[in-house]
Amino acid sequence: MIMETITVAIQFLGGTLPAIIILAIVDLILLALLIARVGSSFRNFGRALGSALGVGGVVALISVFLLPAHTGASWANLYGATDYLGLLGISVGLGLAAAAATFPPIQYLLGMAPSGHGQRQRARA
């Protein structure tokens, strides 16, 4: 079952693997800049995490419906719990991968946003 799941995931992602590799490199660079605190911080961490998980949820939901057709199958070809669990597992994995891929850019952008604390201090002065 694991090999079939990996085969379907590779077949689904096959044409986009170069773009995924480039995205992973950009994400690692942004994450390194974030950790080094170059131009950003971990402010708005919760908002960035929530946004990334929302993107992941949408990707997981869409992939549930697109995966069977992409592999040349249909919903009628899914017979047992193994097929449905494999489909759900791949979809959740793709959703988590999308969330992990979108988190660094979102956190980097939200971390650069001005905090309300500095604006309040300037208003008092």
Coordinates of all heavy atoms in Angstrom, one line a residue, residues 19-114:
A19 N 9.5 22.9 -10.3 CA 8.9 24.0 -9.6 C 8.9 23.8 -8.1 O 9.2 24.8 -7.3 CB 7.5 24.3 -10.1
I20 N 8.6 22.6 -7.6 CA 8.6 22.3 -6.2 C 10.0 22.4 -5.6 O 10.2 23.0 -4.5 CB 8.0 20.9 -6.0 CG1 6.5 20.9 -6.3 CG2 8.3 20.5 -4.5 CD1 5.9 19.6 -6.2
I21 N 11.0 22.0 -6.4 CA 12.4 22.1 -5.9 C 12.8 23.6 -5.8 O 13.4 24.0 -4.8 CB 13.3 21.3 -6.8 CG1 13.1 19.8 -6.7 CG2 14.8 21.7 -6.6 CD1 13.8 19.0 -7.7
I22 N 12.4 24.4 -6.8 CA 12.8 25.8 -6.7 C 12.0 26.5 -5.6 O 12.6 27.3 -4.8 CB 12.4 26.5 -8.1 CG1 13.3 26.0 -9.2 CG2 12.4 28.0 -7.9 CD1 12.9 26.4 -10.6
L23 N 10.8 26.1 -5.3 CA 10.0 26.7 -4.2 C 10.7 26.3 -2.9 O 10.7 27.1 -2.0 CB 8.6 26.2 -4.3 CG 7.7 26.7 -3.1 CD1 7.5 28.2 -3.2 CD2 6.3 26.0 -3.2
A24 N 11.1 25.1 -2.8 CA 11.8 24.6 -1.6 C 13.0 25.4 -1.3 O 13.3 25.8 -0.1 CB 12.1 23.1 -1.7
I25 N 13.8 25.7 -2.3 CA 15.0 26.5 -2.2 C 14.7 27.9 -1.7 O 15.3 28.4 -0.8 CB 15.9 26.5 -3.5 CG1 16.4 25.1 -3.7 CG2 17.0 27.5 -3.4 CD1 17.0 24.9 -5.1
V26 N 13.7 28.5 -2.3 CA 13.3 29.9 -1.9 C 12.8 29.9 -0.5 O 13.1 30.8 0.3 CB 12.2 30.4 -2.9 CG1 11.6 31.7 -2.4 CG2 12.8 30.6 -4.3
D27 N 12.0 28.8 -0.1 CA 11.5 28.7 1.2 C 12.6 28.6 2.2 O 12.6 29.2 3.3 CB 10.5 27.6 1.4 CG 9.1 27.9 0.9 OD1 8.9 29.1 0.6 OD2 8.3 27.0 0.8
L28 N 13.6 27.8 1.9 CA 14.8 27.7 2.8 C 15.5 29.0 3.0 O 16.0 29.3 4.1 CB 15.7 26.6 2.3 CG 15.2 25.1 2.5 CD1 16.1 24.1 1.8 CD2 15.0 24.8 4.0
I29 N 15.7 29.7 1.9 CA 16.3 31.0 2.0 C 15.5 32.0 2.9 O 16.1 32.7 3.7 CB 16.6 31.6 0.6 CG1 17.6 30.8 -0.2 CG2 17.0 33.1 0.7 CD1 17.7 31.1 -1.6
L30 N 14.2 32.0 2.7 CA 13.4 32.9 3.5 C 13.4 32.5 4.9 O 13.4 33.4 5.8 CB 11.9 32.9 2.9 CG 11.7 33.7 1.6 CD1 10.3 33.5 1.2 CD2 12.0 35.2 1.9
L31 N 13.4 31.2 5.2 CA 13.4 30.7 6.6 C 14.7 31.1 7.2 O 14.7 31.5 8.4 CB 13.1 29.2 6.6 CG 12.7 28.6 7.9 CD1 11.5 29.3 8.5 CD2 12.5 27.1 7.8
A32 N 15.8 31.0 6.5 CA 17.1 31.3 7.0 C 17.2 32.8 7.3 O 17.7 33.2 8.4 CB 18.2 31.0 6.0
L33 N 16.6 33.6 6.4 CA 16.6 35.1 6.7 C 15.7 35.4 7.9 O 16.0 36.3 8.7 CB 16.0 35.8 5.5 CG 17.0 35.9 4.3 CD1 16.2 36.5 3.1 CD2 18.2 36.7 4.6
L34 N 14.6 34.7 8.0 CA 13.7 34.9 9.2 C 14.4 34.5 10.5 O 14.3 35.3 11.5 CB 12.4 34.1 9.0 CG 11.4 34.2 10.0 CD1 10.8 35.6 10.0 CD2 10.3 33.2 9.8
I35 N 15.1 33.4 10.5 CA 15.8 33.0 11.7 C 16.9 34.0 12.0 O 17.2 34.3 13.2 CB 16.3 31.5 11.5 CG1 15.1 30.6 11.6 CG2 17.3 31.2 12.7 CD1 15.4 29.2 11.2
A36 N 17.6 34.5 11.0 CA 18.7 35.4 11.2 C 18.1 36.8 11.5 O 18.9 37.8 11.7 CB 19.6 35.5 10.0
R37 N 16.8 37.0 11.4 CA 16.1 38.2 11.7 C 16.6 39.4 10.8 O 16.8 40.5 11.2 CB 16.3 38.7 13.1 CG 15.6 37.7 14.1 CD 15.7 38.2 15.5 NE 15.1 37.3 16.4 CZ 13.9 37.3 16.8 NH1 13.0 38.1 16.4 NH2 13.5 36.3 17.7
V38 N 16.7 39.0 9.5 CA 17.1 40.0 8.5 C 15.8 40.5 7.9 O 15.2 39.9 7.1 CB 18.0 39.4 7.4 CG1 18.3 40.4 6.3 CG2 19.3 38.9 8.0
G39 N 15.4 41.7 8.3 CA 14.2 42.3 7.7 C 12.9 41.8 8.1 O 11.8 42.2 7.6
S40 N 12.8 40.9 9.1 CA 11.6 40.3 9.5 C 11.7 39.8 10.9 O 12.8 39.9 11.5 CB 11.2 39.2 8.6 OG 9.9 38.8 8.9
S41 N 10.6 39.3 11.5 CA 10.6 38.8 12.8 C 9.5 37.7 12.9 O 8.8 37.5 11.9 CB 10.4 39.8 13.9 OG 9.1 40.4 13.8
F42 N 9.4 37.2 14.1 CA 8.3 36.2 14.3 C 7.0 36.8 14.8 O 6.2 36.1 15.3 CB 8.8 35.1 15.2 CG 9.6 34.0 14.6 CD1 11.0 34.1 14.7 CD2 9.0 33.1 13.8 CE1 11.8 33.1 14.1 CE2 9.8 32.1 13.2 CZ 11.2 32.1 13.4
R43 N 6.9 38.1 14.5 CA 5.6 38.8 14.8 C 4.5 38.1 13.9 O 4.8 37.7 12.8 CB 5.6 40.3 14.6 CG 6.4 41.0 15.6 CD 6.2 42.5 15.3 NE 6.7 42.7 13.9 CZ 7.3 43.8 13.5 NH1 7.6 44.8 14.3 NH2 7.7 43.9 12.3
N44 N 3.3 38.1 14.4 CA 2.2 37.6 13.7 C 2.4 36.2 13.3 O 1.9 35.7 12.3 CB 1.9 38.5 12.4 CG 1.6 39.9 12.7 OD1 0.8 40.1 13.7 ND2 2.1 40.8 12.0
F45 N 3.0 35.4 14.1 CA 3.3 34.0 13.9 C 2.0 33.2 13.7 O 1.8 32.4 12.8 CB 4.2 33.4 15.0 CG 4.4 31.9 14.8 CD1 5.4 31.5 13.9 CD2 3.7 31.0 15.5 CE1 5.7 30.1 13.8 CE2 3.9 29.6 15.3 CZ 4.9 29.2 14.5
G46 N 1.0 33.5 14.6 CA -0.3 32.8 14.6 C -1.0 33.1 13.3 O -1.7 32.2 12.8
R47 N -1.0 34.3 12.9 CA -1.7 34.7 11.7 C -1.1 34.0 10.5 O -1.8 33.5 9.6 CB -1.7 36.2 11.5 CG -2.7 36.9 12.4 CD -2.6 38.4 12.2 NE -3.0 38.8 10.8 CZ -2.6 39.9 10.3 NH1 -1.9 40.8 11.0 NH2 -2.9 40.2 9.0
A48 N 0.2 34.0 10.4 CA 0.9 33.3 9.3 C 0.6 31.8 9.3 O 0.4 31.2 8.3 CB 2.4 33.6 9.4
L49 N 0.7 31.2 10.5 CA 0.4 29.8 10.6 C -1.0 29.4 10.2 O -1.3 28.5 9.5 CB 0.7 29.3 12.0 CG 0.6 27.8 12.2 CD1 1.6 27.0 11.4 CD2 0.8 27.4 13.7
G50 N -2.0 30.3 10.6 CA -3.4 30.1 10.3 C -3.6 30.2 8.8 O -4.3 29.4 8.2
S51 N -2.9 31.2 8.2 CA -3.1 31.4 6.7 C -2.5 30.2 6.0 O -3.1 29.8 5.0 CB -2.4 32.7 6.3 OG -3.0 33.8 6.9
A52 N -1.3 29.8 6.4 CA -0.7 28.6 5.7 C -1.5 27.4 5.9 O -1.7 26.6 4.9 CB 0.7 28.4 6.3
L53 N -2.1 27.1 7.0 CA -2.9 26.0 7.2 C -4.2 26.1 6.4 O -4.8 25.1 5.9 CB -3.3 25.8 8.7 CG -2.1 25.3 9.5 CD1 -2.5 25.2 11.0 CD2 -1.6 23.9 9.0
G54 N -4.7 27.3 6.2 CA -5.9 27.5 5.4 C -5.6 27.2 3.9 O -6.4 26.5 3.2
V55 N -4.4 27.6 3.4 CA -4.0 27.2 2.1 C -3.9 25.7 2.0 O -4.3 25.1 1.0 CB -2.7 27.9 1.7 CG1 -2.1 27.4 0.4 CG2 -2.9 29.4 1.6
G56 N -3.3 25.1 3.0 CA -3.1 23.6 3.0 C -4.4 22.9 3.0 O -4.6 21.9 2.3
G57 N -5.4 23.4 3.7 CA -6.7 22.8 3.7 C -7.4 22.9 2.4 O -8.1 21.9 1.9
V58 N -7.3 24.0 1.7 CA -7.9 24.2 0.4 C -7.2 23.2 -0.6 O -7.9 22.5 -1.4 CB -7.8 25.6 -0.1 CG1 -8.1 25.8 -1.6 CG2 -8.6 26.5 0.7
V59 N -5.9 23.1 -0.6 CA -5.1 22.2 -1.4 C -5.6 20.7 -1.2 O -5.8 20.0 -2.1 CB -3.6 22.4 -1.3 CG1 -2.8 21.2 -1.9 CG2 -3.2 23.7 -1.8
A60 N -5.7 20.4 0.1 CA -6.1 19.0 0.4 C -7.5 18.7 -0.1 O -7.8 17.6 -0.7 CB -6.1 18.8 2.0
L61 N -8.4 19.7 0.1 CA -9.8 19.5 -0.4 C -9.8 19.3 -1.9 O -10.5 18.4 -2.4 CB -10.7 20.6 0.1 CG -12.1 20.5 -0.2 CD1 -12.7 19.3 0.5 CD2 -12.9 21.8 0.2
I62 N -9.1 20.2 -2.6 CA -9.1 20.1 -4.1 C -8.5 18.8 -4.5 O -9.0 18.2 -5.5 CB -8.4 21.3 -4.7 CG1 -9.2 22.6 -4.4 CG2 -8.1 21.1 -6.1 CD1 -8.6 23.9 -4.8
S63 N -7.4 18.4 -3.9 CA -6.7 17.2 -4.3 C -7.5 15.9 -4.1 O -7.4 14.9 -4.8 CB -5.3 17.0 -3.7 OG -5.5 16.9 -2.3
V64 N -8.4 15.9 -3.1 CA -9.3 14.8 -2.9 C -10.1 14.5 -4.2 O -10.3 13.4 -4.6 CB -10.2 15.0 -1.7 CG1 -11.4 14.0 -1.7 CG2 -9.5 14.8 -0.4
F65 N -10.6 15.6 -4.8 CA -11.4 15.5 -6.0 C -10.6 15.3 -7.2 O -11.1 14.7 -8.2 CB -12.4 16.7 -6.1 CG -13.3 16.7 -4.9 CD1 -13.2 17.7 -4.0 CD2 -14.4 15.8 -4.8 CE1 -14.1 17.8 -2.9 CE2 -15.3 15.9 -3.8 CZ -15.1 16.9 -2.8
L66 N -9.4 15.8 -7.3 CA -8.6 15.7 -8.5 C -7.8 14.5 -8.7 O -7.5 14.1 -9.8 CB -7.8 17.0 -8.7 CG -8.5 18.3 -8.9 CD1 -7.5 19.4 -9.1 CD2 -9.4 18.2 -10.1
L67 N -7.3 13.9 -7.5 CA -6.4 12.8 -7.6 C -7.0 11.6 -8.4 O -6.3 11.0 -9.2 CB -6.0 12.3 -6.2 CG -4.8 13.0 -5.7 CD1 -4.6 12.7 -4.2 CD2 -3.6 12.7 -6.4
P68 N -8.2 11.1 -8.1 CA -8.7 9.9 -8.9 C -8.7 10.2 -10.4 O -8.2 9.3 -11.2 CB -10.1 9.7 -8.4 CG -10.1 10.3 -7.0 CD -9.2 11.5 -7.1
A69 N -9.1 11.3 -10.8 CA -9.2 11.6 -12.3 C -7.8 11.8 -12.8 O -7.5 11.4 -14.0 CB -10.0 12.9 -12.5
H70 N -6.9 12.3 -12.1 CA -5.5 12.5 -12.5 C -4.8 11.2 -12.8 O -3.9 11.1 -13.7 CB -4.7 13.4 -11.5 CG -3.4 13.7 -12.0 ND1 -3.2 14.6 -13.0 CD2 -2.1 13.3 -11.6 CE1 -1.9 14.7 -13.2 NE2 -1.2 13.9 -12.4
T71 N -5.1 10.2 -12.0 CA -4.5 8.9 -12.2 C -5.2 8.0 -13.2 O -4.9 6.9 -13.4 CB -4.4 8.1 -10.9 OG1 -5.8 7.9 -10.4 CG2 -3.6 8.9 -9.9
G72 N -6.3 8.5 -13.9 CA -7.0 7.8 -14.9 C -8.1 6.9 -14.3 O -8.7 6.1 -15.0
A73 N -8.4 7.1 -13.0 CA -9.4 6.3 -12.3 C -10.6 7.2 -12.1 O -10.6 8.4 -12.5 CB -8.9 5.8 -11.0
S74 N -11.6 6.7 -11.5 CA -12.8 7.4 -11.2 C -13.2 7.1 -9.8 O -12.6 6.1 -9.2 CB -13.9 7.2 -12.2 OG -14.4 5.9 -12.0
W75 N -14.2 7.7 -9.2 CA -14.7 7.4 -7.9 C -15.2 5.9 -7.9 O -15.2 5.3 -6.8 CB -15.7 8.4 -7.4 CG -15.1 9.7 -7.0 CD1 -14.9 10.8 -7.7 CD2 -14.6 9.9 -5.7 NE1 -14.3 11.7 -7.0 CE2 -14.1 11.3 -5.8 CE3 -14.5 9.2 -4.5 CZ2 -13.5 11.9 -4.7 CZ3 -13.9 9.8 -3.4 CH2 -13.4 11.1 -3.5
A76 N -15.7 5.4 -9.0 CA -16.2 4.1 -9.1 C -15.1 3.0 -8.9 O -15.4 1.9 -8.5 CB -17.0 3.9 -10.4
N77 N -13.9 3.4 -9.2 CA -12.8 2.5 -9.1 C -12.2 2.4 -7.7 O -11.4 1.5 -7.4 CB -11.6 3.0 -10.0 CG -12.0 2.9 -11.5 OD1 -12.0 4.0 -12.1 ND2 -12.3 1.8 -12.0
L78 N -12.7 3.2 -6.8 CA -12.3 3.1 -5.4 C -13.2 2.1 -4.7 O -14.4 2.3 -4.6 CB -12.4 4.5 -4.7 CG -11.5 5.6 -5.3 CD1 -11.8 6.9 -4.6 CD2 -10.0 5.3 -5.2
Y79 N -12.6 1.0 -4.3 CA -13.4 -0.1 -3.8 C -13.4 -0.2 -2.3 O -14.5 -0.3 -1.7 CB -12.8 -1.5 -4.3 CG -13.0 -1.6 -5.8 CD1 -12.0 -1.6 -6.7 CD2 -14.3 -1.7 -6.4 CE1 -12.1 -1.8 -8.0 CE2 -14.5 -1.8 -7.7 CZ -13.4 -1.8 -8.5 OH -13.6 -1.9 -9.9
G80 N -12.3 -0.2 -1.6 CA -12.4 -0.4 -0.2 C -11.8 0.7 0.6 O -11.4 1.8 0.1
A81 N -11.7 0.4 1.9 CA -11.1 1.3 2.9 C -9.7 1.7 2.5 O -9.3 2.8 2.7 CB -11.2 0.8 4.3
T82 N -8.9 0.7 2.0 CA -7.6 1.0 1.6 C -7.5 2.1 0.6 O -6.6 3.0 0.6 CB -6.9 -0.3 1.1 OG1 -7.0 -1.3 2.1 CG2 -5.4 -0.1 0.8
D83 N -8.3 2.0 -0.5 CA -8.3 3.0 -1.5 C -8.7 4.4 -1.0 O -8.0 5.4 -1.3 CB -9.3 2.7 -2.6 CG -8.8 1.4 -3.4 OD1 -7.6 1.2 -3.4 OD2 -9.6 0.8 -4.0
Y84 N -9.7 4.5 -0.1 CA -10.1 5.7 0.4 C -9.1 6.3 1.4 O -8.8 7.5 1.4 CB -11.5 5.6 1.1 CG -12.6 5.5 0.1 CD1 -13.2 4.2 -0.1 CD2 -13.1 6.5 -0.7 CE1 -14.3 4.1 -1.0 CE2 -14.1 6.4 -1.6 CZ -14.7 5.2 -1.8 OH -15.7 5.0 -2.7
L85 N -8.5 5.5 2.2 CA -7.5 5.9 3.1 C -6.3 6.4 2.4 O -5.6 7.4 2.8 CB -7.2 4.8 4.2 CG -8.2 4.6 5.2 CD1 -7.8 3.4 6.1 CD2 -8.5 5.8 6.1
G86 N -5.9 5.7 1.3 CA -4.8 6.1 0.5 C -5.0 7.5 -0.1 O -4.2 8.4 -0.1
L87 N -6.2 7.7 -0.6 CA -6.6 9.0 -1.2 C -6.6 10.1 -0.2 O -6.0 11.2 -0.4 CB -8.0 8.9 -1.9 CG -8.6 10.1 -2.4 CD1 -7.8 10.6 -3.6 CD2 -10.0 9.9 -2.8
L88 N -7.2 9.8 1.0 CA -7.2 10.8 2.0 C -5.8 11.1 2.5 O -5.4 12.3 2.8 CB -8.1 10.4 3.2 CG -9.6 10.4 2.9 CD1 -10.4 9.9 4.0 CD2 -10.0 11.8 2.5
G89 N -4.9 10.1 2.6 CA -3.6 10.2 3.1 C -2.8 11.1 2.2 O -2.0 12.0 2.6
I90 N -2.9 10.8 0.9 CA -2.2 11.6 -0.1 C -2.7 13.1 -0.1 O -1.9 14.0 -0.2 CB -2.3 11.0 -1.5 CG1 -1.6 9.7 -1.6 CG2 -1.8 12.0 -2.6 CD1 -1.9 8.9 -2.9
S91 N -4.0 13.3 0.0 CA -4.5 14.6 0.0 C -4.1 15.4 1.2 O -3.7 16.6 1.1 CB -6.1 14.5 0.0 OG -6.5 13.9 -1.2
V92 N -4.1 14.8 2.4 CA -3.6 15.4 3.6 C -2.1 15.7 3.5 O -1.7 16.8 3.9 CB -3.9 14.6 4.9 CG1 -3.2 15.1 6.1 CG2 -5.4 14.5 5.1
G93 N -1.4 14.8 2.9 CA 0.1 15.1 2.7 C 0.3 16.2 1.8 O 1.2 17.1 2.1
L94 N -0.4 16.3 0.7 CA -0.3 17.4 -0.2 C -0.7 18.7 0.5 O -0.1 19.8 0.3 CB -1.1 17.2 -1.5 CG -0.6 16.1 -2.4 CD1 -1.6 15.9 -3.5 CD2 0.7 16.5 -3.0
G95 N -1.7 18.7 1.3 CA -2.2 19.9 2.0 C -1.1 20.4 3.0 O -0.8 21.5 3.1
L96 N -0.5 19.4 3.7 CA 0.5 19.8 4.7 C 1.8 20.3 3.9 O 2.4 21.2 4.4 CB 0.9 18.6 5.6 CG -0.1 18.2 6.6 CD1 0.3 16.9 7.3 CD2 -0.4 19.3 7.6
A97 N 2.1 19.7 2.8 CA 3.2 20.2 2.0 C 2.9 21.6 1.5 O 3.9 22.5 1.5 CB 3.5 19.3 0.8
A98 N 1.7 21.9 1.1 CA 1.4 23.2 0.6 C 1.4 24.2 1.8 O 1.9 25.4 1.6 CB 0.0 23.2 0.0
A99 N 1.0 23.8 3.0 CA 1.1 24.7 4.2 C 2.5 25.0 4.5 O 2.9 26.1 4.8 CB 0.4 24.1 5.3
A100 N 3.4 23.9 4.5 CA 4.8 24.1 4.8 C 5.5 25.0 3.7 O 6.4 25.8 4.1 CB 5.5 22.8 4.9
A101 N 5.0 24.9 2.5 CA 5.7 25.7 1.4 C 5.2 27.1 1.5 O 6.0 28.0 1.1 CB 5.3 25.1 0.1
T102 N 4.0 27.4 1.9 CA 3.5 28.8 1.9 C 3.8 29.5 3.3 O 3.7 30.7 3.3 CB 2.0 28.9 1.7 OG1 1.3 28.1 2.6 CG2 1.7 28.4 0.3
F103 N 4.2 28.8 4.3 CA 4.4 29.4 5.6 C 5.6 30.4 5.6 O 5.4 31.5 6.0 CB 4.6 28.4 6.7 CG 5.0 29.0 8.0 CD1 4.0 29.7 8.8 CD2 6.3 29.0 8.5 CE1 4.4 30.3 10.0 CE2 6.6 29.6 9.7 CZ 5.7 30.2 10.4
P104 N 6.8 30.0 5.1 CA 7.9 31.0 5.2 C 7.6 32.3 4.4 O 7.9 33.4 5.0 CB 9.1 30.2 4.5 CG 8.8 28.8 4.8 CD 7.3 28.7 4.6
P105 N 7.1 32.3 3.2 CA 6.8 33.6 2.6 C 5.7 34.5 3.3 O 5.9 35.7 3.5 CB 6.3 33.3 1.2 CG 6.7 31.9 0.9 CD 6.8 31.2 2.3
I106 N 4.7 33.8 3.8 CA 3.6 34.5 4.6 C 4.2 35.1 5.9 O 4.0 36.2 6.2 CB 2.4 33.6 4.9 CG1 1.7 33.2 3.6 CG2 1.5 34.2 5.8 CD1 0.6 32.2 3.7
Q107 N 5.0 34.2 6.6 CA 5.6 34.7 7.9 C 6.6 35.9 7.6 O 6.6 36.8 8.3 CB 6.3 33.6 8.6 CG 7.0 34.0 9.9 CD 6.1 34.6 10.9 OE1 5.0 34.1 11.2 NE2 6.4 35.8 11.4
Y108 N 7.3 35.7 6.5 CA 8.3 36.8 6.2 C 7.6 38.1 5.9 O 8.0 39.2 6.4 CB 9.2 36.4 5.0 CG 10.4 37.2 4.9 CD1 11.5 37.1 5.7 CD2 10.4 38.2 3.9 CE1 12.6 37.9 5.6 CE2 11.5 39.0 3.7 CZ 12.6 38.8 4.6 OH 13.7 39.6 4.4
L109 N 6.5 38.0 5.2 CA 5.7 39.3 4.8 C 5.0 39.8 6.0 O 5.0 41.0 6.3 CB 4.7 39.0 3.7 CG 5.4 38.7 2.3 CD1 4.3 38.3 1.3 CD2 6.1 39.9 1.8
L110 N 4.4 39.0 6.8 CA 3.7 39.5 8.0 C 4.6 39.9 9.1 O 4.3 40.8 9.9 CB 2.8 38.4 8.6 CG 1.5 38.1 7.8 CD1 0.7 36.9 8.4 CD2 0.6 39.3 7.6
G111 N 5.8 39.3 9.2 CA 6.8 39.8 10.1 C 7.4 41.1 9.8 O 7.9 41.8 10.7
M112 N 7.3 41.5 8.6 CA 7.8 42.9 8.2 C 6.8 43.9 8.4 O 7.1 45.1 8.4 CB 8.2 42.9 6.7 CG 9.4 42.0 6.4 SD 10.0 42.1 4.7 CE 8.6 42.5 3.7
A113 N 5.5 43.6 8.7 CA 4.5 44.6 8.9 C 4.8 45.3 10.1 O 5.3 44.8 11.1 CB 3.1 43.9 9.0
P114 N 4.5 46.6 10.1 CA 4.8 47.4 11.3 C 3.9 47.0 12.5 O 2.7 46.7 12.3 CB 4.5 48.9 10.9 CG 3.6 48.8 9.7 CD 4.0 47.4 9.1

